[in-house]
Amino acid sequence: MPSLIHHPLDPSSRLIRLMCAEYGVPLDMEEIKPWLRDAQLLEINPAATLPILIGEGDQPIVGILAAIHTVEDLYTPSVVAGLIPPDPGPRAEMWRLIEWVIVKLNDEVTRYVLEEKIVKRDQKGATPDPAVLRVAKANLNEHMLYFNWLFATRAWLGGDALTLADFALAAHLSTLDYLGDIDWGKAGETRDWYSRIKSRPAFRTLLNDRVVSMPPQKGYADLDF
Amino acid sequence: MPSLIHHPLDPSSRLIRLMCAEYGVPLDMEEIKPWLRDAQLLEINPAATLPILIGEGDQPIVGILAAIHTVEDLYTPSVVAGLIPPDPGPRAEMWRLIEWVIVKLNDEVTRYVLEEKIVKRDQKGATPDPAVLRVAKANLNEHMLYFNWLFATRAWLGGDALTLADFALAAHLSTLDYLGDIDWGKAGETRDWYSRIKSRPAFRTLLNDRVVSMPPQKGYADLDF
């Protein structure tokens, strides 16, 4: 069984967990805090990023792009519909939106929230900076308007079919939701979509996540949130 | 012929230009400044990122990940060795390093240099912030040490064979080199590698680039720099 070095609130780790759960690939989970820059982590990955996928006897698979391609190449069951569309047009749209989420949304929202609310808990005397969290919140509002606009005419993020782009967005929003940073009352079409994706069996693994001394917001694990 | 909406110093556009040149795919080039957030650009890509690849009669292909996969799927000539290794191990290593370059190196170095030296030229009264450029330079030194370390035991960035990861790094370093931000005297093994990749016919398109009223540093186009 492959193992995944991850952090429960790291959205890139969550994306691979969702992908593997959807494909029925069991994972041994090993939790670390990458921001502590443990020597053993740096030896495997000097960038100190997650996830890291360890196959059997293989070199470690480092990073979100390498992990996506490895899971897709080695672990996709041929009997179920995959998460990467076979046609070039929908596939390009999926990659556009994956990039939107893992680069732009991460850069403008998720990484600030994680830094202020999670990483700083391990820095003596540090407290979340309200000014940074306000900027992240304002940025998230803009992103949500765009996602609402897309979901007004699409069943799934990339179009008519569920793709890996949905899991990428769900990974980020579920991290933000755990930390109470999503105002679902204003989330419109994105809320309906999140409700559907949250009900998938693949999502269960994430809903049981708990970070020590930081419980999730009240509705985090509710399918009727 | 597909066309590419690009900026000459945008490293993601440069990566696709190198990839297409290596595969012998001619491109019609359309230059824009994405930071001006032209209405026509925002309609195609609300993220205002480059590159954007326009096929014949197709939807625009937006972003570096979508463009890489589209060129690989539609335009790879089957008669030459591709830039994406067929074996899972080397392929994962290639994606790890592409992510290193397009996310980490960009985030810590290239985007600061471009913002200060290029984007600010279009902002009335703005001048490059020396403090930001100092941080970018210090970060670049760290990256160069890592690349030197890799090239001490590898002919190419991902291993024994040229891959797309080499073009990703070359795209970023060539932008930084244009702007005079690379001290080749200290670049060690990375300089030898850059000399080799710069001599490839695919690289010629980049070496002729000129940005209005901002000529490249002296050795930019020299193969013997």
Side-chain angles (χ1 to χ4, degrees), chain A residues 12 37 44-50 59-66 69-70 73-74 88-93 95-96 98-100 102-104 107 111-112 146 149, chain B residues 12 37 44-50 59-66 69-70 73-74 88-93 95-96 98-100 102-104 107 111-112 146 149:
Chain A
S12 295
R37 303 178 66 83
I44 301 177
N45 178 16
T49 51
L50 296 177
Q59 64 172 10
I61 308 297
V62 171
I64 183 67
L65 295 181
H69 285 94
T70 300
D73 292 339
L74 298 184
R91 193 161 60 235
E93 179 66 350
W95 283 117
R96 175 181 82 83
I98 287 178
E99 185 175 338
W100 185 295
I102 70 176
V103 178
K104 187 175 168 67
D107 198 42
R111 71 167 175 174
Y112 290 122
Y146 181 58
W149 180 79
Chain B
S12 295
R37 303 178 67 81
I44 300 176
N45 178 16
T49 52
L50 297 176
Q59 62 173 11
I61 308 297
V62 171
I64 183 66
L65 296 181
H69 285 93
T70 299
D73 293 339
L74 298 184
R91 194 160 61 235
E93 180 66 349
W95 283 117
R96 175 180 83 82
I98 288 178
E99 185 175 337
W100 185 297
I102 69 175
V103 178
K104 187 175 168 67
D107 198 43
R111 70 169 176 174
Y112 290 122
Y146 181 58
W149 180 80

Side-chain angles (χ1 to χ4, degrees), chain A residues 101-116:
Chain A
V101 170
I102 70 176
V103 178
K104 187 175 168 67
L105 179 65
N106 188 61
D107 198 42
E108 295 171 354
V109 181
T110 323
R111 71 167 175 174
Y112 290 122
V113 173
L114 285 173
E115 174 74 23
E116 297 302 319

Side-chain angles (χ1 to χ4, degrees), chain A:
Chain A
M1 186 186 308
S3 56
L4 190 77
I5 304 178
H6 81 121
H7 183 272
L9 293 183
D10 172 59
S12 295
S13 304
R14 287 187 162 226
L15 169 50
I16 297 303
R17 291 165 65 196
L18 286 169
M19 191 180 182
C20 286
E22 185 77 14
Y23 285 161
V25 179
L27 290 172
D28 257 337
M29 305 293 282
E30 185 183 335
E31 185 176 332
I32 61 160
K33 294 176 172 181
W35 55 88
L36 299 182
R37 303 178 66 83
D38 185 83
Q40 210 190 331
L41 169 64
L42 292 179
E43 200 173 311
I44 301 177
N45 178 16
T49 51
L50 296 177
I52 298 168
L53 188 66
I54 314 266
E56 278 151 43
D58 297 317
Q59 64 172 10
I61 308 297
V62 171
I64 183 67
L65 295 181
I68 286 174
H69 285 94
T70 300
V71 172
E72 189 66 21
D73 292 339
L74 298 184
Y75 303 126
T76 316
S78 54
V79 289
V80 303
L83 290 166
I84 299 188
D87 294 332
R91 193 161 60 235
E93 179 66 350
M94 178 202 75
W95 283 117
R96 175 181 82 83
L97 290 159
I98 287 178
E99 185 175 338
W100 185 295
V101 170
I102 70 176
V103 178
K104 187 175 168 67
L105 179 65
N106 188 61
D107 198 42
E108 295 171 354
V109 181
T110 323
R111 71 167 175 174
Y112 290 122
V113 173
L114 285 173
E115 174 74 23
E116 297 302 319
K117 294 196 172 179
I118 300 295
V119 176
K120 281 193 170 176
R121 294 169 76 217
D122 287 324
Q123 295 169 353
K124 211 170 174 171
T127 51
D129 182 339
V132 172
L133 290 173
R134 262 197 306 276
V135 170
K137 188 176 181 173
N139 290 343
L140 177 58
N141 285 342
E142 294 299 314
H143 280 273
M144 291 301 263
L145 289 175
Y146 181 58
F147 300 137
N148 285 345
W149 180 79
L150 287 178
F151 287 128
T153 57
R154 302 174 170 197
W156 299 99
L157 189 59
D160 295 336
L162 173 84
T163 69
L164 198 57
D166 292 285
F167 282 157
L169 180 57
H172 278 257
L173 293 191
S174 66
T175 285
L176 295 167
D177 186 36
Y178 187 101
L179 297 168
D181 280 80
I182 296 188
D183 181 352
W184 290 114
K186 286 191 199 162
E189 292 83 352
T190 305
R191 183 195 173 120
D192 297 340
W193 163 84
Y194 191 67
S195 174
R196 269 184 292 131
I197 202 164
K198 198 176 177 177
S199 304
R200 292 183 81 83
F203 224 85
R204 275 181 214 142
T205 164
L206 302 191
L207 300 181
N208 296 326
D209 278 346
R210 293 297 176 271
V211 175
V212 175
S213 77
M214 178 156 258
Q217 65 92 2
K218 224 164 47 90
Y220 173 73
D222 295 347
L223 294 183
D224 183 21
F225 56 104

